[in-house]
Amino acid sequence: MFEMNSGHGEQLSNAEESDAALEEVLMPKEDVSTYYAETFMVIHVFTGDSEQPADSDMAGLTAEIDESDAFEVFSGMFDPAESAVVPYAYANTDSLFVYENGMWNDYTGQADAEEIYYGSYSNLYDAFMESADVVNVSEDDENYYLHNIGSEDVLHDTFGTLFSVEFTNADLAEQQNGVIGVVDKETNELSQVAYVSTAPGVVEGERLHIEVSSNLDNYGEYDDSGITVPEGIYE
């Protein structure tokens, strides 16, 4: 697992099966107001028996999100060339602005605010609920762990679709999927989600690996101040 997901396996191996139901563990999405989120994806192509990828790619988005009323988001995009997050988009129910070539451009009407950042709490909550029949619940002293690692299609249909995970040149009949969600026991806040999908390539000896890390924190952080609205976009 890549760095942002490191430690999940050890946490899960030290957890015990829980009697808690998924509906008891996750905070209802109606109770969520504002929070900060980030989602990073890494894609690896392995060849032969090597544990070092022959080819890799990474993408990432960050977001300040307000779900208290209508959906509002200010998002940044990871720029590999600068190894930094740069402005990407601001959207609410009435407006959409995208940062391009050093300026904010008006794209209102071309996409809904929810499409700017798919890894919202509401979307993750729905994905877990739609996968509830195959999601196991474990716990330790601090966290609940929502998890399944196997070949269940529903994991790809929910989390894979949510994160736009799609293989090309792969044997999808042999696809394996895994999800781990970490929930704080004291607050019922979802803090981390890892989604992993692997499949043999159609080229003999290739293995394809897609891994997503989604982190959510600072719940309620922007309740008073509101999320960032870029200067000048409404001028």
Side-chain angles (χ1 to χ4, degrees):
M1 304 185 81
F2 85 118
E3 185 176 353
M4 293 183 69
N5 287 334
S6 63
H8 287 332
E10 182 177 356
Q11 287 176 300
L12 189 56
S13 67
N14 292 326
E16 298 180 351
E17 183 179 353
S18 175
D19 293 329
L22 189 60
E23 294 81 359
E24 300 173 303
V25 168
L26 276 175
M27 177 170 52
K29 59 183 180 180
E30 294 81 9
D31 293 347
V32 172
S33 55
T34 63
Y35 55 94
Y36 174 82
E38 59 182 20
T39 298
F40 282 79
M41 176 187 294
V42 64
I43 303 170
H44 292 317
V45 178
F46 295 92
T47 58
D49 296 327
S50 175
E51 295 184 0
Q52 297 297 319
D55 191 22
S56 297
D57 195 15
M58 188 174 75
L61 288 176
T62 67
E64 299 173 12
I65 298 176
D66 186 350
E67 294 195 54
S68 59
D69 186 11
F71 196 90
E72 182 182 12
V73 56
F74 171 65
S75 180
M77 178 180 293
F78 178 72
D79 183 346
E82 298 186 15
S83 294
V85 174
V86 298
Y88 167 53
Y90 169 82
N92 56 33
T93 53
D94 300 319
S95 305
L96 168 60
F97 292 88
V98 178
Y99 194 74
E100 300 172 314
N101 301 316
M103 61 185 299
W104 289 96
N105 296 300
D106 192 345
Y107 282 82
T108 299
Q110 298 190 31
D112 294 331
E114 290 87 345
E115 296 179 58
I116 301 304
Y117 190 84
Y118 290 124
S120 68
Y121 184 90
S122 289
N123 285 342
L124 291 168
Y125 179 94
D126 288 342
F128 275 112
M129 292 304 169
E130 290 171 23
S131 308
D133 288 345
V134 300
V135 172
N136 305 301
V137 180
S138 299
E139 64 178 294
D140 58 21
D141 291 341
E142 296 181 353
N143 299 308
Y144 290 109
Y145 301 93
L146 319 178
H147 57 95
N148 184 290
I149 299 172
S151 57
E152 284 82 359
D153 290 338
V154 67
L155 295 179
H156 183 66
D157 293 341
T158 51
F159 293 96
T161 299
L162 171 61
F163 292 121
S164 299
V165 171
E166 184 175 354
F167 286 110
T168 57
N169 300 320
D171 182 1
L172 299 183
E174 298 295 325
Q175 184 177 0
Q176 298 285 309
N177 307 297
V179 65
I180 301 175
V182 182
V183 180
D184 185 284
K185 292 180 75 170
E186 184 176 345
T187 63
N188 295 109
E189 294 173 352
L190 180 66
S191 60
Q192 295 175 298
V193 175
Y195 176 73
V196 180
S197 190
T198 64
V202 294
V203 176
E204 186 175 355
E206 279 192 353
R207 291 174 292 125
L208 309 179
H209 175 97
I210 299 177
E211 187 169 344
V212 175
S213 175
S214 184
N215 297 333
L216 302 89
D217 59 15
N218 294 336
Y219 286 85
E221 175 77 12
Y222 312 101
D223 285 3
D224 295 329
S225 61
I227 69 171
T228 300
V229 179
E231 293 184 7
I233 63 173
Y234 291 117
E235 293 179 356

